[in-house]
Amino acid sequence: MNKSSTRGIFLSTALVFSILLITNLPNSFAQEVSVKSIALEETTVIELTNDSTKDISSFRIWLGSDFSFKSFKTEKGWVGEKTPQGVIIFTSSETIKPGESVKFGVKTDKAKPGINWKALDKDDKQLDTGKVLADDLPKVTKNSQPKQNQPTDNITGSISEDSTFRIIPEKPNVGSTIRVTGEKFGASEEFDFYINSKKIGSFQTDSNGHFMTTMKIPENENADRVDFKIQNKVGEEKKISLRIGEVDNRIPVDDVKLTVQGVPNVIKRGDELNIFGTGNPGSAIKADIYSPEGVVINSRTSAIDSKGNWKLPEPIMVPLDSMLGEYKSTISDGRQTIDIKWKVEPRRVIIINPIDLQFELGDVMKFNGTAIPNVPMEIRLEDPIGNEVYSDIIQIDETGLVEFEYQTTMNSPKGTYTLIAAQEKNKELIFAGLGQLAVIPVNLEFDKLNYKATETAIITFSGQPSDVVSLLIVDPGDKPKESDITIQLLPDGRGKYSLPLTGYASGVYTAVVQKGSAQSSETFTVGLQIGSGEIEINTTKVDYNPGDSILVLGETGPNIILTLTLIDPEGNEIKIRETYSDKTGKISEDSFRIPSDAEPGVWTIKAKSGANFDITKINVLGVVKEGIVVVVTDAGKLDGVNEFINIHIFGAKQTVRITILSDSGEQIEKLEFPASKSGELNLPWKIPKDIVPGTYTLKVSDAVNEAETTFEI
């Protein structure tokens, strides 16, 4: 910082007025630091004087909510930075010592703002703070026409060694208007203003010998170094030498259109918005955001760089409790104004909940809610140890209402059950407790299966609200690739993480998310190709009943991406699943299930990768439309210990009675459960450990019909 008397010579063309004489203002609030300001329209000059006993290292200013900064200027040696909150921070490598002063110039969107300020020392400790209101500049003396025969009595000595003046800006251009200001000249006297020997105007000082006036540099003036001179009527003069620039040296204001990007037409609660655009170079944008009720709920500002680009430095998080509806924002760069609109919608399109927080053994677990109308929904129910106990594809009608029931038994595992509901690309996990309150586990999901090594994977997490979870990435060689990644879940229990894949080799990776002892994992692939080698697929059996799951096995080239499609007898694609072959070329996919209302006949499973494909056929058995039908399938070790069978009943009415008999007619089990509204009952039954191997008969009946089937143990 220059400590000489020329400290204040710094203002550019944006300020265009003098600030040499600033009188003590009554609205300067500080005692340790004196702050004064004067204003001309939207331009304000602030003078800071250090009256304290400590050095000042930084000076901060900010405005009230009705004003915003458009630009600022500093003295030589000082730099300024405007924060996203609208605070301008001035700093310098040289401090303002006691008794010294410094000046700053600012331009605002409205005239004569009240400016809040704070002075800090080198340790960022506050020395003083306050608010200053600007006074008007002294009235500018109107130029008088040059007079050839002006009396010269009593004016000798009106220019002394102490007389000084200055030109603003310091680098004027040909044809530009300049401001000339000076002090300590003869009081109330007329002086002439010259460029070299050419007189271009006259002015008169005030009673204190001060003046402030404007002059215009002639259009035919040469762009060169010239002498600006002030001369009295007896030929005494003061002069300064400056270079006049070409008119082309002026900084043009490009006609950059005001634009806003990063705001989609539909926004979900919890979304992050990265907003940017273009506008008037060197200025700033201000955005006022209006709620659906028309109330201003937020205002944001951002500086526009010299090329006309702007960007909010931090993403905007849409609050989870945002009012739903249409929002509007009015955005201005001081030259143009535009309005944009968007809608805030619920983050979830599938909203399903259990009717109770806790169910008891033997209860019917009931879920209801809403989803996308007229779009099929795939539902899967998993028990506490992750075994799938039920799945189906249900049709959602035009109302969008969803209802689902599952009959538990006294042998059902206790714990947290997970209902997985999926429609198109939307998937939700719903949790219900059996025999205890549900414990929400931590889960993760990728936005797709296969990525390029130049892409970024988007991972969505769900768990307990506001939990902090850790993420581990395991490479194809089962070695940790990434670790010690922590993610803070939002208050709605959701979170997102962007995983850059630069440097990832091709292969199958596993992502593991953990919270304490609970964890969940998901596979994703990087750099897998399509169409390399023949494809062969098959299923583990030929005949299937409605509701049965399908295990697809096969072989192709190693690390290949392929698509599996389940097709009904009419040629309708019921489900499409993207999967992959492992490093040995093996294919294994168990996500397909026959819908409970499936049409009987020959169904097709098609596997395709590039130009290569293969199909396999399965036979879906019919379900009698009238009467009751029972199907028994092997369910495996649902609790990890005991063997189960799954009893699937269709077309039942009211209460269903179930009897299991041995081949000798001995009654092994007798059960009774209410059927669902759709007439279905899906019941896992634990096989007693001491049961004798053989053929058993299962009889079912309701108020009208009865049916039976046999199964082997």
Side-chain angles (χ1 to χ4, degrees):
M1 180 177 65
N2 186 356
K3 302 177 185 177
S4 69
S5 62
T6 62
R7 172 195 294 272
I9 304 177
F10 71 100
L11 295 181
S12 72
T13 55
L15 300 181
V16 297
F17 62 87
S18 170
I19 56 169
L20 281 181
L21 285 180
I22 302 177
T23 57
N24 291 330
L25 301 178
N27 51 13
S28 180
F29 300 146
Q31 296 178 351
E32 295 291 334
V33 177
S34 173
V35 178
K36 309 170 187 177
S37 70
I38 53 175
L40 176 64
E41 297 177 345
E42 289 85 14
T43 304
T44 304
V45 175
I46 307 164
E47 182 180 36
L48 162 67
T49 302
N50 187 1
D51 295 329
S52 70
T53 59
K54 295 184 178 180
D55 292 355
I56 298 175
S57 292
S58 70
F59 185 60
R60 302 182 182 185
I61 58 173
W62 64 96
L63 301 171
S65 59
D66 295 333
F67 292 84
S68 62
F69 292 114
K70 296 179 69 176
S71 61
F72 60 86
K73 293 290 181 180
T74 67
E75 287 190 7
K76 185 178 180 181
W78 283 80
V79 294
E81 177 186 4
K82 184 179 177 184
T83 71
Q85 293 75 31
V87 179
I88 297 179
I89 303 174
F90 296 108
T91 56
S92 174
S93 58
E94 298 184 29
T95 59
I96 308 173
K97 300 188 180 301
E100 293 183 344
S101 63
V102 68
K103 296 171 184 174
F104 307 99
V106 296
K107 193 170 184 180
T108 55
D109 59 343
K110 299 176 186 177
K112 298 184 66 174
I115 299 178
N116 304 287
W117 60 268
K118 183 188 293 185
L120 301 99
D121 64 13
K122 61 183 175 120
D123 298 320
D124 281 341
K125 292 182 180 179
Q126 178 179 307
L127 298 178
D128 212 340
T129 187
K131 183 175 182 179
V132 62
L133 302 175
D135 274 0
D136 291 324
L137 282 171
K139 187 176 180 180
V140 176
T141 305
K142 184 178 180 181
N143 291 344
S144 59
Q145 295 298 320
K147 297 179 182 180
Q148 303 301 322
N149 299 309
Q150 180 73 19
T152 59
D153 297 338
N154 302 320
I155 57 175
T156 302
S158 59
I159 296 180
S160 67
E161 291 184 358
D162 294 330
S163 301
T164 60
F165 76 100
R166 60 187 299 201
I167 305 296
I168 301 173
E170 293 178 326
K171 297 179 180 179
N173 293 314
V174 171
S176 66
T177 298
I178 59 174
R179 188 170 296 278
V180 187
T181 180
E183 61 183 353
K184 297 183 180 179
F185 285 80
S188 304
E189 292 187 20
E190 188 172 339
F191 294 84
D192 298 324
F193 185 77
Y194 290 82
I195 296 180
N196 291 330
S197 60
K198 185 186 298 183
K199 183 177 180 180
I200 62 172
S202 300
F203 60 89
Q204 185 172 332
T205 59
D206 63 16
S207 59
N208 296 314
H210 174 269
F211 71 90
M212 181 179 294
T213 186
T214 58
M215 298 288 174
K216 183 175 176 62
I217 299 175
E219 298 286 351
N220 59 0
E221 187 68 45
N222 293 326
D224 202 350
R225 180 169 291 278
V226 300
D227 289 334
F228 292 95
K229 295 189 293 187
I230 294 176
Q231 192 176 90
N232 63 15
K233 300 309 176 182
V234 295
E236 295 176 326
E237 64 180 33
K238 277 283 184 179
K239 68 179 180 179
I240 56 176
S241 180
L242 296 175
R243 179 174 294 278
I244 299 177
E246 295 280 0
V247 67
D248 293 339
N249 291 339
R250 296 178 185 174
I251 299 174
V253 177
D254 296 332
D255 185 18
V256 180
K257 184 179 180 181
L258 178 62
T259 64
V260 179
Q261 298 184 58
V263 183
N265 293 330
V266 177
I267 297 172
K268 306 292 186 182
R269 287 172 169 170
D271 279 354
E272 277 191 359
L273 304 179
N274 291 288
I275 302 176
F276 60 97
T278 60
N280 187 18
S283 62
I285 64 106
K286 180 182 179 183
D288 292 324
I289 301 174
Y290 296 83
S291 72
E293 298 175 337
V295 178
V296 177
I297 57 174
N298 201 348
S299 293
R300 289 293 185 102
T301 60
S302 177
I304 305 175
D305 66 21
S306 59
K307 296 181 180 179
N309 298 311
W310 63 268
K311 180 180 180 180
L312 294 185
E314 295 180 356
I316 292 179
M317 174 68 73
V318 180
L320 297 170
D321 59 353
S322 294
M323 182 185 299
L324 302 179
E326 186 175 76
Y327 287 70
K328 184 184 84 169
S329 180
T330 299
I331 300 151
S332 175
D333 64 358
R335 184 167 54 91
Q336 307 167 78
T337 300
I338 59 174
D339 289 336
I340 60 172
K341 294 182 180 181
W342 65 90
K343 287 185 178 180
V344 173
E345 295 183 350
R347 181 154 194 85
R348 298 185 296 165
V349 296
I350 301 173
I351 303 175
I352 301 175
N353 292 296
I355 63 170
D356 289 318
L357 296 176
Q358 177 179 328
F359 297 96
E360 300 302 329
L361 295 176
D363 285 352
V364 177
M365 301 178 75
K366 295 183 179 181
F367 302 81
N368 55 38
T370 59
I372 304 172
N374 300 315
V375 176
M377 172 183 285
E378 181 182 4
I379 56 173
R380 292 187 292 124
L381 185 66
E382 295 181 353
D383 68 12
I385 57 177
N387 294 313
E388 182 181 293
V389 296
Y390 183 81
S391 72
D392 198 0
I393 298 173
I394 60 176
Q395 299 298 321
I396 307 299
D397 62 21
E398 66 277 1
T399 67
L401 296 177
V402 179
E403 291 184 344
F404 170 71
E405 297 179 353
Y406 175 74
Q407 177 67 59
T408 68
T409 71
M410 300 305 294
N411 296 322
S412 297
K414 293 182 180 181
T416 298
Y417 283 69
T418 304
L419 178 65
I420 304 167
Q423 267 186 315
E424 297 178 335
K425 293 185 178 180
N426 304 291
K427 185 164 76 172
E428 291 294 332
L429 306 181
I430 303 97
F431 306 102
L434 182 64
Q436 64 182 52
L437 290 174
V439 177
I440 300 177
V442 58
N443 286 283
L444 78 163
E445 183 179 10
F446 285 79
D447 59 331
K448 60 180 182 178
L449 174 64
N450 189 45
Y451 300 88
K452 297 178 182 178
T454 56
E455 292 183 314
T456 297
I458 306 300
I459 311 174
T460 302
F461 299 89
S462 63
Q464 292 281 8
S466 303
D467 261 356
V468 176
V469 300
S470 61
L471 177 65
L472 169 69
I473 305 297
V474 181
D475 70 13
D478 294 329
K479 296 179 181 178
K481 175 70 175 178
E482 308 273 1
S483 60
D484 298 326
I485 301 173
T486 58
I487 297 95
Q488 171 81 55
L489 301 186
L490 298 174
D492 67 345
R494 294 175 176 271
K496 279 189 177 182
Y497 180 75
S498 298
L499 177 66
L501 300 176
T502 303
Y504 277 58
S506 297
V508 180
Y509 292 78
T510 302
V512 182
V513 61
Q514 294 178 311
K515 172 62 180 178
S517 60
Q519 71 175 38
S520 179
S521 64
E522 198 71 39
T523 58
F524 67 99
T525 63
V526 177
L528 268 59
Q529 303 299 312
I530 61 173
S532 179
E534 294 184 358
I535 302 173
E536 292 184 4
I537 60 167
N538 54 70
T539 57
T540 54
K541 61 181 183 178
V542 177
D543 294 330
Y544 289 84
N545 291 299
D548 283 355
S549 61
I550 307 170
L551 174 61
V552 181
L553 302 174
E555 292 184 0
T556 185
N559 292 333
I560 298 300
I561 285 290
L562 63 156
T563 302
L564 297 178
T565 306
L566 178 64
I567 305 170
D568 70 10
E570 301 297 323
N572 300 310
E573 295 181 346
I574 303 303
K575 184 176 181 179
I576 300 174
R577 173 77 174 180
E578 189 177 41
T579 187
Y580 60 91
S581 63
D582 63 18
K583 57 187 176 182
T584 66
K586 301 294 184 183
I587 302 169
S588 179
E589 180 59 51
D590 61 357
S591 65
F592 285 141
R593 182 175 289 271
I594 306 296
S596 59
D597 58 352
E599 290 292 329
V602 177
W603 287 54
T604 302
I605 300 173
K606 181 178 180 180
K608 188 176 187 301
S609 181
N612 301 311
F613 70 93
D614 189 28
I615 61 173
T616 187
K617 305 282 187 178
I618 59 174
N619 185 39
V620 175
L621 305 177
V623 175
V624 180
K625 298 298 181 181
E626 296 294 334
I628 189 170
V629 175
V630 58
V631 176
V632 176
T633 58
D634 182 15
K637 295 181 179 181
L638 294 181
D639 60 359
V641 178
N642 300 287
E643 295 286 345
F644 284 76
I645 62 170
N646 191 64
I647 304 170
H648 201 168
I649 300 171
F650 305 90
K653 297 179 180 179
Q654 301 175 0
T655 301
V656 179
R657 291 172 292 279
I658 304 170
T659 305
I660 299 175
L661 303 171
S662 69
D663 54 1
S664 63
E666 178 187 358
Q667 180 175 298
I668 305 300
E669 185 81 83
K670 189 171 185 179
L671 306 169
E672 197 170 284
F673 295 101
S676 67
K677 291 182 180 180
S678 63
E680 287 189 54
L681 184 64
N682 195 55
L683 177 68
W685 181 69
K686 184 172 70 173
I687 300 173
K689 289 185 176 181
D690 57 354
I691 197 169
V692 177
T695 301
Y696 288 79
T697 300
L698 189 146
K699 295 184 176 182
V700 297
S701 63
D702 60 13
V704 180
N705 301 295
E706 61 182 28
E708 68 177 57
T709 188
T710 60
F711 61 95
E712 297 287 334
I713 296 180

